[in-house]
Amino acid sequence: ILGANSSLSSSFPTNFLFGTASSSYQFEGAYLTHGKGLSNWDTFSHKPGNIADGSNGDIAVDHYHMYLEDIELMEYIGVNTFRFSISWARILPKGIFGDVNMAGIRHYDNLINSLLGKGIEPFVSLTHYDIPQELEDKYGGWLSSQVQKDFAYYANICFKYYGDRVKHWVTFNEPNVVAIRGYRSGIYPPARCSGSFGNCSSGDSEREPFIVAHNMILSHAAAVDIYRTKYQGKQNASIGIVMNAVWYEPISNSSEDRLAAQRAQSFYMNWFLDPIIFGKYPQEMKDILGSLLPHFSKDYFKKLKNGLDFIGVNHYTSFYVKDCLHSTCEQGPGISKTEGYYLRTALKNNALIGESTALDWLYIYPEGMEKMVIYLKNRYNNIPIFITENGLGVMNQPDSNVDSCLNDDKRIEYMKSYLDALLSAIRKGADVRGYFAWSLLDNFEWLSGYTIRFGLYHVDYLTLKRTPKTSAKWYKQFISNFTRFEDATSYHMLMKQ
Ligand code: PNW
């Protein structure tokens, strides 16, 4: 019934990481426990009207207290890695304006040790959207260049305490989403925007996303620099960044639309990756934005170039892209100068790019996974890639209908088709090293609160009881086929000696 076809999983490279992903604000809860300070997401979700169901992450799925049980769930599935983020406000409750919170340090120590005890590798992000509120209050968070030093200070603490056991570090989760949603549309904290972009009390949608991105890129560089000079020799981990990666398919074969799709990638993803890997912003951005785009000093160029060891890719969805630079487009997101003059649409000749889902941004188009990975391989010289998130969210059902949530064949189909497409990219030579399902558990889905469920495990939000969905059992079987293959390979090698 599960149809975990063994040929699919057994074809992934040896040592491939199969895991599940999570993040501190969406999972931990315990928002004031053991000295944790408030984060920007605590502040934001506590304001009435910001979250669909009026909920917040105060308790979330209480992973802070239930992590041992959650590791047992991972052990059941058989994953060899777990992606989580450290809450900056748990380590430094007041940003840099206070002491290190040793209770916070101990929590992640325990989590990491317990994971390793079960043979599960910690894959650790330093930030996943949430930062100490104090940094916002004192100097405007990512808008201020001061944050570069403070992020590096925080990163150093994490390397120092956990670096002996962490082999994969991520500086940022989806900084592109933070810049756009926090400072252009203003739908995420600190909810800044202006003009036709949204309805905020302050901000400048045309400028601030670029300032914020610049500070994040330089913060990334500062953390990587510290890691490489102080720790990498002894600890030998890889360090990377995770981007939200949407596949942009040209809506027609015209050179204008093909260039527009390229431009869309540049304004969304290469915006961060180009500076970190090549030391400069994409040419399309420089041409269109002119002085709106900050620039890097010579010193930076030397320091940052090749400033990562892998790219983390959160890939879920694809859109068509139509040119708006040479042709006129109706109003919509993307058409402004600051966004790169393109129209993003799921429709072409009245047909959707892929099946629609409960989320207005998620269309099921597995081909996008292969195309995305091949695109990154070609642009960035076959740099190692991890698929750090992929998964399907569905609408919460009334309590009486838990069974329909547990029988999540749709999620299995989604994962199978995307893994299949990923395998095609690997067969074409892409250096992909791991895949993380979003997510282990149902959890706090940002603006959607608890109305959308992404988990392989169902969580009853009253009792916090975890129940495996069919997808958890499917993923278990999928992984067990993979592991058998690995053993068979080593057996073969042994016989050959
Ligand atoms: C990611 N898009 O966000 C986040 O990293 C997770 O925390 C989140 O729970 C998960 O995806 C599911 O939403 C996304 O525009 C942001 O395609 C934007 C997009 C996709 C995912």
Side-chain angles (χ1 to χ4, degrees), residues 23 25-26 41 50-53 55 128-130 188 438 443-450:
S23 87
Y25 191 71
Q26 295 174 281
W41 269 92
N50 280 342
I51 308 297
D53 52 2
S55 68
H128 192 121
Y129 297 172
D130 52 330
Y188 280 8
W438 184 269
N443 62 79
F444 178 77
E445 178 51 26
W446 307 115
L447 300 186
S448 305
Y450 300 100

mmCIF file with all atom_site columns, all heavy atoms in Angstrom, residues 23 25-26 41 50-53 55 128-130 188 438 443-450:
data_model
loop_
_atom_site.group_PDB
_atom_site.id
_atom_site.type_symbol
_atom_site.label_atom_id
_atom_site.label_alt_id
_atom_site.label_comp_id
_atom_site.label_asym_id
_atom_site.label_entity_id
_atom_site.label_seq_id
_atom_site.pdbx_PDB_ins_code
_atom_site.Cartn_x
_atom_site.Cartn_y
_atom_site.Cartn_z
_atom_site.occupancy
_atom_site.B_iso_or_equiv
_atom_site.pdbx_formal_charge
_atom_site.auth_seq_id
_atom_site.auth_comp_id
_atom_site.auth_asym_id
_atom_site.auth_atom_id
_atom_site.pdbx_PDB_model_num
ATOM 1   N N   . SER A 1 23  ? 12.155 24.264 12.711 1.00 0.00 ? 23  SER A N   1
ATOM 2   C CA  . SER A 1 23  ? 12.786 25.536 13.085 1.00 0.00 ? 23  SER A CA  1
ATOM 3   C C   . SER A 1 23  ? 12.387 25.899 14.507 1.00 0.00 ? 23  SER A C   1
ATOM 4   O O   . SER A 1 23  ? 11.358 25.433 15.011 1.00 0.00 ? 23  SER A O   1
ATOM 5   C CB  . SER A 1 23  ? 12.391 26.663 12.127 1.00 0.00 ? 23  SER A CB  1
ATOM 6   O OG  . SER A 1 23  ? 11.189 27.281 12.537 1.00 0.00 ? 23  SER A OG  1
ATOM 7   N N   . TYR A 1 25  ? 11.252 28.680 16.111 1.00 0.00 ? 25  TYR A N   1
ATOM 8   C CA  . TYR A 1 25  ? 9.975  29.332 16.456 1.00 0.00 ? 25  TYR A CA  1
ATOM 9   C C   . TYR A 1 25  ? 8.777  28.440 16.157 1.00 0.00 ? 25  TYR A C   1
ATOM 10  O O   . TYR A 1 25  ? 7.795  28.449 16.884 1.00 0.00 ? 25  TYR A O   1
ATOM 11  C CB  . TYR A 1 25  ? 9.808  30.689 15.749 1.00 0.00 ? 25  TYR A CB  1
ATOM 12  C CG  . TYR A 1 25  ? 8.619  31.422 16.333 1.00 0.00 ? 25  TYR A CG  1
ATOM 13  C CD1 . TYR A 1 25  ? 8.676  31.950 17.622 1.00 0.00 ? 25  TYR A CD1 1
ATOM 14  C CD2 . TYR A 1 25  ? 7.420  31.514 15.638 1.00 0.00 ? 25  TYR A CD2 1
ATOM 15  C CE1 . TYR A 1 25  ? 7.565  32.558 18.208 1.00 0.00 ? 25  TYR A CE1 1
ATOM 16  C CE2 . TYR A 1 25  ? 6.312  32.127 16.209 1.00 0.00 ? 25  TYR A CE2 1
ATOM 17  C CZ  . TYR A 1 25  ? 6.391  32.643 17.494 1.00 0.00 ? 25  TYR A CZ  1
ATOM 18  O OH  . TYR A 1 25  ? 5.289  33.229 18.071 1.00 0.00 ? 25  TYR A OH  1
ATOM 19  N N   . GLN A 1 26  ? 8.868  27.648 15.111 1.00 0.00 ? 26  GLN A N   1
ATOM 20  C CA  . GLN A 1 26  ? 7.725  26.826 14.714 1.00 0.00 ? 26  GLN A CA  1
ATOM 21  C C   . GLN A 1 26  ? 7.550  25.581 15.580 1.00 0.00 ? 26  GLN A C   1
ATOM 22  O O   . GLN A 1 26  ? 6.469  24.996 15.626 1.00 0.00 ? 26  GLN A O   1
ATOM 23  C CB  . GLN A 1 26  ? 7.884  26.401 13.251 1.00 0.00 ? 26  GLN A CB  1
ATOM 24  C CG  . GLN A 1 26  ? 7.836  27.581 12.294 1.00 0.00 ? 26  GLN A CG  1
ATOM 25  C CD  . GLN A 1 26  ? 8.126  27.170 10.869 1.00 0.00 ? 26  GLN A CD  1
ATOM 26  O OE1 . GLN A 1 26  ? 9.275  26.969 10.500 1.00 0.00 ? 26  GLN A OE1 1
ATOM 27  N NE2 . GLN A 1 26  ? 7.093  27.016 10.057 1.00 0.00 ? 26  GLN A NE2 1
ATOM 28  N N   . TRP A 1 41  ? 9.460  37.367 16.265 1.00 0.00 ? 41  TRP A N   1
ATOM 29  C CA  . TRP A 1 41  ? 8.246  36.611 15.954 1.00 0.00 ? 41  TRP A CA  1
ATOM 30  C C   . TRP A 1 41  ? 7.319  36.500 17.164 1.00 0.00 ? 41  TRP A C   1
ATOM 31  O O   . TRP A 1 41  ? 6.095  36.462 17.014 1.00 0.00 ? 41  TRP A O   1
ATOM 32  C CB  . TRP A 1 41  ? 8.582  35.242 15.352 1.00 0.00 ? 41  TRP A CB  1
ATOM 33  C CG  . TRP A 1 41  ? 8.657  35.345 13.857 1.00 0.00 ? 41  TRP A CG  1
ATOM 34  C CD1 . TRP A 1 41  ? 9.765  35.588 13.117 1.00 0.00 ? 41  TRP A CD1 1
ATOM 35  C CD2 . TRP A 1 41  ? 7.555  35.280 12.934 1.00 0.00 ? 41  TRP A CD2 1
ATOM 36  N NE1 . TRP A 1 41  ? 9.428  35.661 11.784 1.00 0.00 ? 41  TRP A NE1 1
ATOM 37  C CE2 . TRP A 1 41  ? 8.086  35.483 11.641 1.00 0.00 ? 41  TRP A CE2 1
ATOM 38  C CE3 . TRP A 1 41  ? 6.175  35.070 13.066 1.00 0.00 ? 41  TRP A CE3 1
ATOM 39  C CZ2 . TRP A 1 41  ? 7.288  35.474 10.482 1.00 0.00 ? 41  TRP A CZ2 1
ATOM 40  C CZ3 . TRP A 1 41  ? 5.382  35.066 11.916 1.00 0.00 ? 41  TRP A CZ3 1
ATOM 41  C CH2 . TRP A 1 41  ? 5.933  35.269 10.654 1.00 0.00 ? 41  TRP A CH2 1
ATOM 42  N N   . ASN A 1 50  ? -2.390 39.536 13.197 1.00 0.00 ? 50  ASN A N   1
ATOM 43  C CA  . ASN A 1 50  ? -1.257 39.164 12.352 1.00 0.00 ? 50  ASN A CA  1
ATOM 44  C C   . ASN A 1 50  ? -1.293 37.709 11.870 1.00 0.00 ? 50  ASN A C   1
ATOM 45  O O   . ASN A 1 50  ? -0.804 37.398 10.791 1.00 0.00 ? 50  ASN A O   1
ATOM 46  C CB  . ASN A 1 50  ? 0.067  39.415 13.081 1.00 0.00 ? 50  ASN A CB  1
ATOM 47  C CG  . ASN A 1 50  ? 0.469  40.887 13.014 1.00 0.00 ? 50  ASN A CG  1
ATOM 48  O OD1 . ASN A 1 50  ? -0.038 41.639 12.177 1.00 0.00 ? 50  ASN A OD1 1
ATOM 49  N ND2 . ASN A 1 50  ? 1.368  41.305 13.884 1.00 0.00 ? 50  ASN A ND2 1
ATOM 50  N N   . ILE A 1 51  ? -1.815 36.813 12.693 1.00 0.00 ? 51  ILE A N   1
ATOM 51  C CA  . ILE A 1 51  ? -1.788 35.383 12.361 1.00 0.00 ? 51  ILE A CA  1
ATOM 52  C C   . ILE A 1 51  ? -3.225 34.900 12.107 1.00 0.00 ? 51  ILE A C   1
ATOM 53  O O   . ILE A 1 51  ? -4.143 35.253 12.857 1.00 0.00 ? 51  ILE A O   1
ATOM 54  C CB  . ILE A 1 51  ? -1.159 34.558 13.515 1.00 0.00 ? 51  ILE A CB  1
ATOM 55  C CG1 . ILE A 1 51  ? 0.214  35.142 13.924 1.00 0.00 ? 51  ILE A CG1 1
ATOM 56  C CG2 . ILE A 1 51  ? -1.050 33.070 13.153 1.00 0.00 ? 51  ILE A CG2 1
ATOM 57  C CD1 . ILE A 1 51  ? 1.282  35.103 12.849 1.00 0.00 ? 51  ILE A CD1 1
ATOM 58  N N   . ALA A 1 52  ? -3.396 34.091 11.043 1.00 0.00 ? 52  ALA A N   1
ATOM 59  C CA  . ALA A 1 52  ? -4.732 33.704 10.566 1.00 0.00 ? 52  ALA A CA  1
ATOM 60  C C   . ALA A 1 52  ? -5.680 33.254 11.685 1.00 0.00 ? 52  ALA A C   1
ATOM 61  O O   . ALA A 1 52  ? -6.810 33.718 11.761 1.00 0.00 ? 52  ALA A O   1
ATOM 62  C CB  . ALA A 1 52  ? -4.610 32.608 9.519  1.00 0.00 ? 52  ALA A CB  1
ATOM 63  N N   . ASP A 1 53  ? -5.221 32.351 12.556 1.00 0.00 ? 53  ASP A N   1
ATOM 64  C CA  . ASP A 1 53  ? -6.120 31.821 13.576 1.00 0.00 ? 53  ASP A CA  1
ATOM 65  C C   . ASP A 1 53  ? -5.875 32.483 14.936 1.00 0.00 ? 53  ASP A C   1
ATOM 66  O O   . ASP A 1 53  ? -6.286 31.959 15.967 1.00 0.00 ? 53  ASP A O   1
ATOM 67  C CB  . ASP A 1 53  ? -5.971 30.293 13.684 1.00 0.00 ? 53  ASP A CB  1
ATOM 68  C CG  . ASP A 1 53  ? -4.513 29.869 13.879 1.00 0.00 ? 53  ASP A CG  1
ATOM 69  O OD1 . ASP A 1 53  ? -3.630 30.764 13.960 1.00 0.00 ? 53  ASP A OD1 1
ATOM 70  O OD2 . ASP A 1 53  ? -4.253 28.661 13.962 1.00 0.00 ? 53  ASP A OD2 1
ATOM 71  N N   . SER A 1 55  ? -3.272 32.639 16.557 1.00 0.00 ? 55  SER A N   1
ATOM 72  C CA  . SER A 1 55  ? -2.389 31.826 17.411 1.00 0.00 ? 55  SER A CA  1
ATOM 73  C C   . SER A 1 55  ? -0.980 32.410 17.427 1.00 0.00 ? 55  SER A C   1
ATOM 74  O O   . SER A 1 55  ? -0.714 33.465 16.848 1.00 0.00 ? 55  SER A O   1
ATOM 75  C CB  . SER A 1 55  ? -2.338 30.391 16.871 1.00 0.00 ? 55  SER A CB  1
ATOM 76  O OG  . SER A 1 55  ? -1.661 30.364 15.632 1.00 0.00 ? 55  SER A OG  1
ATOM 77  N N   . HIS A 1 128 ? 16.449 31.130 11.705 1.00 0.00 ? 128 HIS A N   1
ATOM 78  C CA  . HIS A 1 128 ? 15.349 30.722 10.834 1.00 0.00 ? 128 HIS A CA  1
ATOM 79  C C   . HIS A 1 128 ? 14.221 31.725 11.081 1.00 0.00 ? 128 HIS A C   1
ATOM 80  O O   . HIS A 1 128 ? 13.287 31.439 11.825 1.00 0.00 ? 128 HIS A O   1
ATOM 81  C CB  . HIS A 1 128 ? 14.923 29.294 11.157 1.00 0.00 ? 128 HIS A CB  1
ATOM 82  C CG  . HIS A 1 128 ? 13.998 28.664 10.147 1.00 0.00 ? 128 HIS A CG  1
ATOM 83  N ND1 . HIS A 1 128 ? 14.296 27.499 9.469  1.00 0.00 ? 128 HIS A ND1 1
ATOM 84  C CD2 . HIS A 1 128 ? 12.774 29.038 9.690  1.00 0.00 ? 128 HIS A CD2 1
ATOM 85  C CE1 . HIS A 1 128 ? 13.290 27.188 8.654  1.00 0.00 ? 128 HIS A CE1 1
ATOM 86  N NE2 . HIS A 1 128 ? 12.351 28.095 8.777  1.00 0.00 ? 128 HIS A NE2 1
ATOM 87  N N   . TYR A 1 129 ? 14.399 32.920 10.575 1.00 0.00 ? 129 TYR A N   1
ATOM 88  C CA  . TYR A 1 129 ? 13.465 34.056 10.686 1.00 0.00 ? 129 TYR A CA  1
ATOM 89  C C   . TYR A 1 129 ? 13.519 34.790 12.032 1.00 0.00 ? 129 TYR A C   1
ATOM 90  O O   . TYR A 1 129 ? 13.409 36.009 12.080 1.00 0.00 ? 129 TYR A O   1
ATOM 91  C CB  . TYR A 1 129 ? 12.004 33.660 10.433 1.00 0.00 ? 129 TYR A CB  1
ATOM 92  C CG  . TYR A 1 129 ? 11.650 33.131 9.073  1.00 0.00 ? 129 TYR A CG  1
ATOM 93  C CD1 . TYR A 1 129 ? 10.374 32.606 8.838  1.00 0.00 ? 129 TYR A CD1 1
ATOM 94  C CD2 . TYR A 1 129 ? 12.539 33.146 8.011  1.00 0.00 ? 129 TYR A CD2 1
ATOM 95  C CE1 . TYR A 1 129 ? 9.999  32.127 7.589  1.00 0.00 ? 129 TYR A CE1 1
ATOM 96  C CE2 . TYR A 1 129 ? 12.174 32.661 6.755  1.00 0.00 ? 129 TYR A CE2 1
ATOM 97  C CZ  . TYR A 1 129 ? 10.906 32.151 6.548  1.00 0.00 ? 129 TYR A CZ  1
ATOM 98  O OH  . TYR A 1 129 ? 10.542 31.668 5.324  1.00 0.00 ? 129 TYR A OH  1
ATOM 99  N N   . ASP A 1 130 ? 13.634 34.046 13.152 1.00 0.00 ? 130 ASP A N   1
ATOM 100 C CA  . ASP A 1 130 ? 13.498 34.703 14.466 1.00 0.00 ? 130 ASP A CA  1
ATOM 101 C C   . ASP A 1 130 ? 14.834 35.268 14.965 1.00 0.00 ? 130 ASP A C   1
ATOM 102 O O   . ASP A 1 130 ? 15.854 34.582 14.960 1.00 0.00 ? 130 ASP A O   1
ATOM 103 C CB  . ASP A 1 130 ? 12.892 33.740 15.506 1.00 0.00 ? 130 ASP A CB  1
ATOM 104 C CG  . ASP A 1 130 ? 13.630 32.397 15.587 1.00 0.00 ? 130 ASP A CG  1
ATOM 105 O OD1 . ASP A 1 130 ? 14.185 31.942 14.559 1.00 0.00 ? 130 ASP A OD1 1
ATOM 106 O OD2 . ASP A 1 130 ? 13.662 31.808 16.676 1.00 0.00 ? 130 ASP A OD2 1
ATOM 107 N N   . TYR A 1 188 ? 5.659  39.944 7.182  1.00 0.00 ? 188 TYR A N   1
ATOM 108 C CA  . TYR A 1 188 ? 6.408  39.312 8.278  1.00 0.00 ? 188 TYR A CA  1
ATOM 109 C C   . TYR A 1 188 ? 7.043  40.433 9.113  1.00 0.00 ? 188 TYR A C   1
ATOM 110 O O   . TYR A 1 188 ? 7.224  41.552 8.622  1.00 0.00 ? 188 TYR A O   1
ATOM 111 C CB  . TYR A 1 188 ? 7.528  38.434 7.724  1.00 0.00 ? 188 TYR A CB  1
ATOM 112 C CG  . TYR A 1 188 ? 7.132  37.051 7.219  1.00 0.00 ? 188 TYR A CG  1
ATOM 113 C CD1 . TYR A 1 188 ? 5.798  36.653 7.112  1.00 0.00 ? 188 TYR A CD1 1
ATOM 114 C CD2 . TYR A 1 188 ? 8.112  36.134 6.843  1.00 0.00 ? 188 TYR A CD2 1
ATOM 115 C CE1 . TYR A 1 188 ? 5.461  35.383 6.647  1.00 0.00 ? 188 TYR A CE1 1
ATOM 116 C CE2 . TYR A 1 188 ? 7.782  34.861 6.378  1.00 0.00 ? 188 TYR A CE2 1
ATOM 117 C CZ  . TYR A 1 188 ? 6.455  34.504 6.272  1.00 0.00 ? 188 TYR A CZ  1
ATOM 118 O OH  . TYR A 1 188 ? 6.140  33.243 5.817  1.00 0.00 ? 188 TYR A OH  1
ATOM 119 N N   . TRP A 1 438 ? 10.097 18.673 4.878  1.00 0.00 ? 438 TRP A N   1
ATOM 120 C CA  . TRP A 1 438 ? 9.426  19.630 5.749  1.00 0.00 ? 438 TRP A CA  1
ATOM 121 C C   . TRP A 1 438 ? 8.018  19.113 5.937  1.00 0.00 ? 438 TRP A C   1
ATOM 122 O O   . TRP A 1 438 ? 7.266  19.124 4.988  1.00 0.00 ? 438 TRP A O   1
ATOM 123 C CB  . TRP A 1 438 ? 9.395  21.053 5.150  1.00 0.00 ? 438 TRP A CB  1
ATOM 124 C CG  . TRP A 1 438 ? 8.779  21.988 6.148  1.00 0.00 ? 438 TRP A CG  1
ATOM 125 C CD1 . TRP A 1 438 ? 7.448  22.322 6.275  1.00 0.00 ? 438 TRP A CD1 1
ATOM 126 C CD2 . TRP A 1 438 ? 9.463  22.675 7.205  1.00 0.00 ? 438 TRP A CD2 1
ATOM 127 N NE1 . TRP A 1 438 ? 7.258  23.155 7.342  1.00 0.00 ? 438 TRP A NE1 1
ATOM 128 C CE2 . TRP A 1 438 ? 8.466  23.387 7.930  1.00 0.00 ? 438 TRP A CE2 1
ATOM 129 C CE3 . TRP A 1 438 ? 10.798 22.739 7.627  1.00 0.00 ? 438 TRP A CE3 1
ATOM 130 C CZ2 . TRP A 1 438 ? 8.793  24.169 9.054  1.00 0.00 ? 438 TRP A CZ2 1
ATOM 131 C CZ3 . TRP A 1 438 ? 11.102 23.523 8.737  1.00 0.00 ? 438 TRP A CZ3 1
ATOM 132 C CH2 . TRP A 1 438 ? 10.108 24.222 9.424  1.00 0.00 ? 438 TRP A CH2 1
ATOM 133 N N   . ASN A 1 443 ? 3.173  21.881 12.651 1.00 0.00 ? 443 ASN A N   1
ATOM 134 C CA  . ASN A 1 443 ? 3.745  22.931 13.494 1.00 0.00 ? 443 ASN A CA  1
ATOM 135 C C   . ASN A 1 443 ? 3.167  24.289 13.146 1.00 0.00 ? 443 ASN A C   1
ATOM 136 O O   . ASN A 1 443 ? 2.287  24.393 12.294 1.00 0.00 ? 443 ASN A O   1
ATOM 137 C CB  . ASN A 1 443 ? 5.276  22.925 13.344 1.00 0.00 ? 443 ASN A CB  1
ATOM 138 C CG  . ASN A 1 443 ? 5.710  23.224 11.915 1.00 0.00 ? 443 ASN A CG  1
ATOM 139 O OD1 . ASN A 1 443 ? 5.721  24.379 11.499 1.00 0.00 ? 443 ASN A OD1 1
ATOM 140 N ND2 . ASN A 1 443 ? 6.045  22.202 11.150 1.00 0.00 ? 443 ASN A ND2 1
ATOM 141 N N   . PHE A 1 444 ? 3.703  25.323 13.779 1.00 0.00 ? 444 PHE A N   1
ATOM 142 C CA  . PHE A 1 444 ? 3.219  26.701 13.581 1.00 0.00 ? 444 PHE A CA  1
ATOM 143 C C   . PHE A 1 444 ? 3.643  27.190 12.194 1.00 0.00 ? 444 PHE A C   1
ATOM 144 O O   . PHE A 1 444 ? 4.831  27.468 11.974 1.00 0.00 ? 444 PHE A O   1
ATOM 145 C CB  . PHE A 1 444 ? 3.796  27.602 14.675 1.00 0.00 ? 444 PHE A CB  1
ATOM 146 C CG  . PHE A 1 444 ? 3.398  29.050 14.540 1.00 0.00 ? 444 PHE A CG  1
ATOM 147 C CD1 . PHE A 1 444 ? 2.136  29.483 14.917 1.00 0.00 ? 444 PHE A CD1 1
ATOM 148 C CD2 . PHE A 1 444 ? 4.288  29.980 14.015 1.00 0.00 ? 444 PHE A CD2 1
ATOM 149 C CE1 . PHE A 1 444 ? 1.770  30.818 14.786 1.00 0.00 ? 444 PHE A CE1 1
ATOM 150 C CE2 . PHE A 1 444 ? 3.925  31.323 13.881 1.00 0.00 ? 444 PHE A CE2 1
ATOM 151 C CZ  . PHE A 1 444 ? 2.656  31.735 14.263 1.00 0.00 ? 444 PHE A CZ  1
ATOM 152 N N   . GLU A 1 445 ? 2.678  27.280 11.283 1.00 0.00 ? 445 GLU A N   1
ATOM 153 C CA  . GLU A 1 445 ? 3.004  27.630 9.891  1.00 0.00 ? 445 GLU A CA  1
ATOM 154 C C   . GLU A 1 445 ? 2.894  29.153 9.686  1.00 0.00 ? 445 GLU A C   1
ATOM 155 O O   . GLU A 1 445 ? 2.078  29.649 8.925  1.00 0.00 ? 445 GLU A O   1
ATOM 156 C CB  . GLU A 1 445 ? 2.119  26.835 8.932  1.00 0.00 ? 445 GLU A CB  1
ATOM 157 C CG  . GLU A 1 445 ? 2.299  27.109 7.443  1.00 0.00 ? 445 GLU A CG  1
ATOM 158 C CD  . GLU A 1 445 ? 3.719  27.049 6.890  1.00 0.00 ? 445 GLU A CD  1
ATOM 159 O OE1 . GLU A 1 445 ? 4.570  26.352 7.455  1.00 0.00 ? 445 GLU A OE1 1
ATOM 160 O OE2 . GLU A 1 445 ? 3.972  27.738 5.890  1.00 0.00 ? 445 GLU A OE2 1
ATOM 161 N N   . TRP A 1 446 ? 3.707  29.913 10.423 1.00 0.00 ? 446 TRP A N   1
ATOM 162 C CA  . TRP A 1 446 ? 3.816  31.364 10.254 1.00 0.00 ? 446 TRP A CA  1
ATOM 163 C C   . TRP A 1 446 ? 2.446  32.039 10.162 1.00 0.00 ? 446 TRP A C   1
ATOM 164 O O   . TRP A 1 446 ? 1.631  31.845 11.047 1.00 0.00 ? 446 TRP A O   1
ATOM 165 C CB  . TRP A 1 446 ? 4.732  31.683 9.057  1.00 0.00 ? 446 TRP A CB  1
ATOM 166 C CG  . TRP A 1 446 ? 6.071  30.983 9.161  1.00 0.00 ? 446 TRP A CG  1
ATOM 167 C CD1 . TRP A 1 446 ? 6.556  30.022 8.327  1.00 0.00 ? 446 TRP A CD1 1
ATOM 168 C CD2 . TRP A 1 446 ? 7.081  31.145 10.195 1.00 0.00 ? 446 TRP A CD2 1
ATOM 169 N NE1 . TRP A 1 446 ? 7.793  29.600 8.749  1.00 0.00 ? 446 TRP A NE1 1
ATOM 170 C CE2 . TRP A 1 446 ? 8.139  30.259 9.877  1.00 0.00 ? 446 TRP A CE2 1
ATOM 171 C CE3 . TRP A 1 446 ? 7.194  31.946 11.339 1.00 0.00 ? 446 TRP A CE3 1
ATOM 172 C CZ2 . TRP A 1 446 ? 9.288  30.166 10.674 1.00 0.00 ? 446 TRP A CZ2 1
ATOM 173 C CZ3 . TRP A 1 446 ? 8.347  31.844 12.124 1.00 0.00 ? 446 TRP A CZ3 1
ATOM 174 C CH2 . TRP A 1 446 ? 9.365  30.971 11.783 1.00 0.00 ? 446 TRP A CH2 1
ATOM 175 N N   . LEU A 1 447 ? 2.186  32.779 9.104  1.00 0.00 ? 447 LEU A N   1
ATOM 176 C CA  . LEU A 1 447 ? 0.935  33.548 9.033  1.00 0.00 ? 447 LEU A CA  1
ATOM 177 C C   . LEU A 1 447 ? -0.299 32.654 9.079  1.00 0.00 ? 447 LEU A C   1
ATOM 178 O O   . LEU A 1 447 ? -1.378 33.083 9.479  1.00 0.00 ? 447 LEU A O   1
ATOM 179 C CB  . LEU A 1 447 ? 0.888  34.396 7.749  1.00 0.00 ? 447 LEU A CB  1
ATOM 180 C CG  . LEU A 1 447 ? 1.997  35.430 7.575  1.00 0.00 ? 447 LEU A CG  1
ATOM 181 C CD1 . LEU A 1 447 ? 1.722  36.281 6.343  1.00 0.00 ? 447 LEU A CD1 1
ATOM 182 C CD2 . LEU A 1 447 ? 2.141  36.316 8.814  1.00 0.00 ? 447 LEU A CD2 1
ATOM 183 N N   . SER A 1 448 ? -0.156 31.390 8.663  1.00 0.00 ? 448 SER A N   1
ATOM 184 C CA  . SER A 1 448 ? -1.296 30.478 8.678  1.00 0.00 ? 448 SER A CA  1
ATOM 185 C C   . SER A 1 448 ? -1.511 29.844 10.054 1.00 0.00 ? 448 SER A C   1
ATOM 186 O O   . SER A 1 448 ? -2.477 29.085 10.237 1.00 0.00 ? 448 SER A O   1
ATOM 187 C CB  . SER A 1 448 ? -1.106 29.356 7.649  1.00 0.00 ? 448 SER A CB  1
ATOM 188 O OG  . SER A 1 448 ? -0.881 29.879 6.372  1.00 0.00 ? 448 SER A OG  1
ATOM 189 N N   . GLY A 1 449 ? -0.644 30.155 11.002 1.00 0.00 ? 449 GLY A N   1
ATOM 190 C CA  . GLY A 1 449 ? -0.775 29.577 12.348 1.00 0.00 ? 449 GLY A CA  1
ATOM 191 C C   . GLY A 1 449 ? -0.847 28.060 12.283 1.00 0.00 ? 449 GLY A C   1
ATOM 192 O O   . GLY A 1 449 ? -0.034 27.429 11.612 1.00 0.00 ? 449 GLY A O   1
ATOM 193 N N   . TYR A 1 450 ? -1.867 27.486 12.958 1.00 0.00 ? 450 TYR A N   1
ATOM 194 C CA  . TYR A 1 450 ? -1.988 26.031 12.981 1.00 0.00 ? 450 TYR A CA  1
ATOM 195 C C   . TYR A 1 450 ? -3.034 25.536 11.984 1.00 0.00 ? 450 TYR A C   1
ATOM 196 O O   . TYR A 1 450 ? -3.492 24.404 12.075 1.00 0.00 ? 450 TYR A O   1
ATOM 197 C CB  . TYR A 1 450 ? -2.300 25.557 14.411 1.00 0.00 ? 450 TYR A CB  1
ATOM 198 C CG  . TYR A 1 450 ? -1.188 25.959 15.360 1.00 0.00 ? 450 TYR A CG  1
ATOM 199 C CD1 . TYR A 1 450 ? -1.321 27.079 16.193 1.00 0.00 ? 450 TYR A CD1 1
ATOM 200 C CD2 . TYR A 1 450 ? 0.017  25.258 15.378 1.00 0.00 ? 450 TYR A CD2 1
ATOM 201 C CE1 . TYR A 1 450 ? -0.292 27.475 17.029 1.00 0.00 ? 450 TYR A CE1 1
ATOM 202 C CE2 . TYR A 1 450 ? 1.058  25.651 16.213 1.00 0.00 ? 450 TYR A CE2 1
ATOM 203 C CZ  . TYR A 1 450 ? 0.898  26.753 17.035 1.00 0.00 ? 450 TYR A CZ  1
ATOM 204 O OH  . TYR A 1 450 ? 1.932  27.148 17.852 1.00 0.00 ? 450 TYR A OH  1
#
